[in-house]
Amino acid sequence: MELKAVQPTNGTANGTTTGSPEKTDAEKQTAERTNWGNGLEFLMSCISVSVGLGNVWRFPFTAYENGGGAFLIPYIIVLFLIGKPMYYLEMIIGQFTSQGTVKIWSVVPGFVGVGYGQAFGTICIISYYSSLLALTLYYLFVSFQSELPWSYCRDEWTNCVNSRPQETTENLITGMSLANESARNFSPLATNETKLQSSSELYFLNVVIKEKLDITDGVGDPDWKLTIALFVSWVVIFLVIMRGVKSSGKAAYFLALFPYVVLFVLLIRAVTLEGARDGILFFLEPQWGELLNPTVWKEAVVQCFFSLAVGSGPIIMFASYNRFDHGIYRDAMIVTTLDTLTSLLGGITIFAILGNLAHNLQIENIRDVVRSGTGLAFISYPDAISKFQAVPQLFSVLFFFMLFVLGIGSIVALQSTVVTIICDQFKGWKYWKVALTTSVCGFLMGLVYVTPGGQWILTLVDFYGGTYVVFILAIFELAGIVWIYGLQNFCDDIEFMCNRRVSLYWRVCWSFFTPVMMIIIFIYSMATIEPIKYSELYFPEAANVAGWLLFAIGAAQFPMWGIWYISRHPQGTIWNSFKASLKPSDRYGPANPDIRREWVIFKNQKAAQRASQKATSKLGFFWRKVTNFCGSNK
C-alpha cells in the first residue's frame, strides 16, 4: 500500500523541508504535547491505574460470586488471549500516534465514535469510582478513634457478632446489654437457626451508607459526611492532574509502590487468623465443572477489562505522552503480569479473612459468609483489621490510606483521559481549567452515590454504563485496527516503531482469538441477560429502562459519529464516502514530522517488497498470505 496521501505537506517531493516558517499540524502537536520525565514515570503510572481497586475490591468479589478457585482458570486464559493483546495494542496505538482516545481514529476515521463512546463509558466509571474513594476516606477518618467503630455491636443490632476478638462464643452474640447477655442461655442450635452478621457488616450498612432497600420512592438525600469525603477526594484528584503528566508522573511513584507495603502486611496478618486456611483453599481449589459455564468466562473478561483499564482510554492516553522510541513491549508485559499477581495477592488476603469470618460465625460454607458487592472491601477488610492485637487503629489508617491511594491512581488516569480528549479537541483551552471544570462535574455526579440508595445506582451504572458499553466498543476498537486498517499494516507500524517483528502469538490473538472470543462472549451475555439485582432485590422497572437507555447512549456513539464523519467528508456517492471513511486519513502516523517521513518511506518499501515477492514467488496466493501472516520475510 503506497502512502502518497500522507506525504508531508510542507516538504518537497524528495522529502526535504522547504524552510517555510509556518509549522504543520504535526509539528504543532509535537511542540505542544509534553512527554513523561522518564520512562519509569510511564511504567509507574500504568501500574498505578492497572493495579488499583479492581484488584483489591472487584477481583475478590467477582471470584467470590463465580465459585472462588473456578474463576482463576478462565481469568488467566482470558488474560493471555484477551487482556495482554488488548493492553499491548492500546499502548502501541497511543505511542505511535501521540494522540488521545478520539484522535487515534485517524487510522479509521469512520470509527471515531468508538473513541467518544469509550469516553462516555469512562465518565460513567468515574462517576461511581469517586464514591468509593469517599467511602475509603470516611473509614480513614473514623479509624483515628480510640476504638474502631465497626469492631463492636450496638445495642439496637440483633444477631450481631463483634468483629473484635472475644474470649467466648457467648460474648460474640450481642443485641442486648452484657448483663442480659450473661443471663441469656445461649445455645449453639440458635446460632444455626439465626443468621448472624458481623458488626463490620452492620456498621457499613446501617451507619456508613444507611442502606435503603427500596428506591421506588427515590434514593434519598446525600449523606453530609460522605459528601465532604467526596469533595476532598475530588480536590486531591484535581491537584494530581492539574499540570498533566508533569504532576501525575511524579505522584505515580508513590501511587504505584506504597499500596504493596500495606497489602503485604495485611496478607501476613490474614493468613495467621483461625479458619484462614479454609478460605484460601476455597479460593484456590478449582471447580472444573465451572469451566463450562459461559457466565464465568464473561465475568473473567469484564474483570480483565476493569482491572487492566483497557477499552476505556487511560492506557492509550498514557502511552501518547511517551517518546516514539520508548521500549513499550517490556512495560506491557510487566504491568499485565504484575496486575495478575496483585489480583491473586488480594484474593488470597480477602479469602483468608472470609475463612476467619466463617469460623467466627460458625458457618461451614464460606460462600454464605457475607454477601458480595461493593461492600465486601468495606466489610471483610475492616473485620480483619479489628482483629489485630496491637494498635489496630494504626493498621486501619494505613490500610484505608492504601485503598485511597489505589483508587486515586486509577481515577486520575480515567479523569486525565477525559481531560486529554477535550484538550486535544480544543487546543487553546488551558489544561488546568479543563481539569478543574471536569473535577467539579465529577463531584456533582458523584453526589447520587452517597445517598442511602446510592449503591443501587452504582450497581446500575456499573452494569449498563461501565461494563457493556466498554465491552462492545472494545470489540469495535479491535476490529477497526486489526480487520479494517489491517493486521499487516499495523504490524508494519509496530516494526517501524519498536524495531522488532511482531511474533505469531500477537498476530493470532489480534486477528482471531481476541475478537472472536469477545464477540462470542458478548453475544452470549446479551442473549442470557437477566434483570439485575442489588442485595437479592430486583430493580424497579423504571431503573432497568434507565439502564438500557444508558447503554444505548454509549453504544450509539459509534454509528452516530460515523455518520457524522461521512456527511462532513463526502466523496461523491454515499458508498464512496463510506469506503473513504474506512481508510487512514492523512493525519494518521507519527506526530513528529521527521519520523513521519521515515515511516512513509518504510511503508512504501514494505509495499514494494511484497509486490516483488508476489511477482516472483512460486507459492500460491493462500500460502503467500500465510507466510505474511506469520511475519516471514521470505
Side-chain angles (χ1 to χ4, degrees), residues 52-53 140 240 277 287 306 311 355 367 452 458 466 495 565-566 598 608-609 611 616:
L53 292 182
L140 177 63
V240 174
R277 179 177 176 274
Q287 302 172 26
F306 190 91
R367 191 187 299 272
L458 189 153
E495 183 179 347
Y565 182 86
I566 291 173
E598 295 176 8
Q609 179 184 0
T616 59

Side-chain angles (χ1 to χ4, degrees), residues 344-518:
L344 294 175
L345 180 68
I348 290 172
T349 302
I350 202 166
F351 272 87
I353 296 168
L354 290 176
N356 175 255
L357 276 178
H359 174 80
N360 289 340
L361 298 175
Q362 303 176 18
I363 296 175
E364 294 184 2
N365 191 345
I366 295 176
R367 191 187 299 272
D368 298 330
V369 170
V370 65
R371 64 181 182 178
S372 58
T374 308
L376 189 60
F378 299 102
I379 295 172
S380 299
Y381 280 123
D383 186 87
I385 292 172
S386 65
K387 292 178 172 57
F388 279 47
Q389 299 294 334
V391 285
Q393 292 85 354
L394 173 62
F395 288 101
S396 182
V397 169
L398 288 174
F399 170 73
F400 285 109
F401 184 60
M402 175 208 72
L403 213 59
F404 182 73
V405 169
L406 283 173
I408 286 292
S410 297
I411 200 170
V412 157
L414 295 168
Q415 186 73 358
S416 297
T417 301
V418 176
V419 175
T420 299
I421 291 173
I422 297 173
C423 290
D424 281 350
Q425 293 294 113
F426 305 98
K427 301 285 187 185
W429 291 12
K430 295 291 186 181
Y431 191 96
W432 74 267
K433 291 182 178 179
V434 176
L436 177 60
T437 303
T438 54
S439 296
V440 171
C441 293
F443 167 72
L444 295 176
M445 287 190 299
L447 289 175
V448 70
Y449 300 101
V450 295
T451 61
Q455 296 301 305
W456 288 82
I457 306 301
L458 189 153
T459 303
L460 189 77
V461 174
D462 177 49
F463 185 77
Y464 289 106
T467 299
Y468 280 102
V469 169
V470 171
F471 201 156
I472 189 173
L473 291 174
I475 296 174
F476 288 124
E477 173 189 338
L478 188 60
I481 295 175
V482 177
W483 289 350
I484 305 300
Y485 177 57
L487 176 65
Q488 192 58 62
N489 283 327
F490 186 56
C491 290
D492 288 345
D493 294 343
I494 299 172
E495 183 179 347
F496 173 77
M497 181 175 70
C498 301
N499 197 28
R500 60 182 297 164
R501 297 190 64 80
V502 180
S503 69
L504 184 61
Y505 164 72
W506 299 111
R507 291 172 182 263
V508 172
C509 286
W510 284 332
S511 62
F512 181 74
F513 283 118
T514 306
V516 170
M517 283 184 66
M518 290 170 63

Side-chain angles (χ1 to χ4, degrees), residues 49-336:
V49 62
S50 294
V51 179
L53 292 182
N55 306 87
V56 180
W57 159 58
R58 186 161 180 158
F59 180 85
F61 89 65
T62 301
Y64 177 93
E65 289 181 324
N66 291 276
F71 183 73
L72 296 179
I73 298 172
Y75 179 76
I76 292 175
I77 293 174
V78 163
L79 173 72
F80 279 92
L81 296 183
I82 296 179
K84 284 179 178 287
M86 285 294 297
Y87 198 91
Y88 188 37
L89 179 141
E90 291 197 348
M91 272 192 167
I92 290 166
I93 197 69
Q95 180 171 303
F96 184 80
T97 61
S98 298
Q99 301 282 2
T101 313
V102 173
K103 290 289 188 177
I104 63 163
W105 287 107
S106 56
V107 63
V108 184
F111 277 53
V112 68
V114 172
Y116 285 111
Q118 289 177 335
F120 177 83
T122 299
I123 291 172
C124 290
I125 296 172
I126 289 172
S127 68
Y128 70 74
Y129 211 101
S130 59
S131 70
L132 299 177
L133 294 182
L135 289 174
T136 62
L137 273 186
Y138 179 93
Y139 273 85
L140 177 63
F141 294 149
V142 300
S143 296
F144 287 97
Q145 298 182 24
S146 59
E147 186 172 15
L148 295 177
W150 60 81
S151 65
Y152 60 93
C153 297
R154 312 302 194 267
D155 287 341
E156 64 271 18
W157 296 349
T158 57
N159 304 319
C160 177
V161 176
N162 283 325
S163 290
R164 62 189 175 192
Q166 298 291 336
E167 293 182 0
T168 63
T169 304
E170 286 82 355
N171 286 335
L172 289 174
I173 307 302
T174 66
M176 57 187 71
S177 66
L178 290 178
N180 290 337
E181 181 181 351
S182 299
R184 179 184 177 187
N185 192 5
F186 174 73
S187 168
L189 182 60
T191 303
N192 295 330
E193 296 174 352
T194 305
K195 181 183 178 182
L196 303 179
Q197 290 178 288
S198 65
S199 59
S200 59
E201 180 178 6
L202 290 171
Y203 178 79
F204 176 73
L205 299 177
N206 297 339
V207 178
V208 181
I209 66 173
K210 300 178 177 64
E211 185 183 45
K212 188 176 183 180
L213 294 179
D214 184 8
I215 60 171
T216 54
D217 59 343
V219 295
D221 299 324
D223 179 81
W224 70 269
K225 294 179 182 178
L226 291 179
T227 299
I228 293 175
L230 182 68
F231 177 77
V232 173
S233 300
W234 276 106
V235 170
V236 174
I237 294 168
F238 169 70
L239 292 176
V240 174
I241 70 172
M242 63 180 294
R243 296 181 61 230
V245 296
K246 291 182 179 178
S247 54
S248 64
K250 300 298 183 293
Y253 291 98
F254 179 75
L255 296 176
L257 299 178
F258 172 76
Y260 283 101
V261 178
V262 182
L263 196 56
F264 273 109
V265 171
L266 192 66
L267 172 67
I268 294 171
R269 172 55 182 157
V271 298
T272 59
L273 295 171
E274 284 189 274
R277 179 177 176 274
D278 295 332
I280 295 174
L281 289 177
F282 177 83
F283 177 60
L284 296 178
E285 185 177 355
Q287 302 172 26
W288 301 108
E290 290 295 325
L291 290 176
L292 302 178
N293 184 356
T295 301
V296 174
W297 290 87
K298 187 261 291 186
E299 292 299 329
V301 174
V302 172
Q303 170 58 31
C304 197
F305 271 61
F306 190 91
S307 181
L308 292 173
V310 294
S312 52
I315 307 306
I316 295 175
M317 180 272 300
F318 276 158
S320 71
Y321 292 104
N322 273 337
R323 299 187 316 274
F324 188 80
D325 59 350
H326 178 72
I328 209 167
Y329 180 85
R330 176 206 62 187
D331 292 347
M333 296 305 99
I334 290 175
V335 176
T336 53

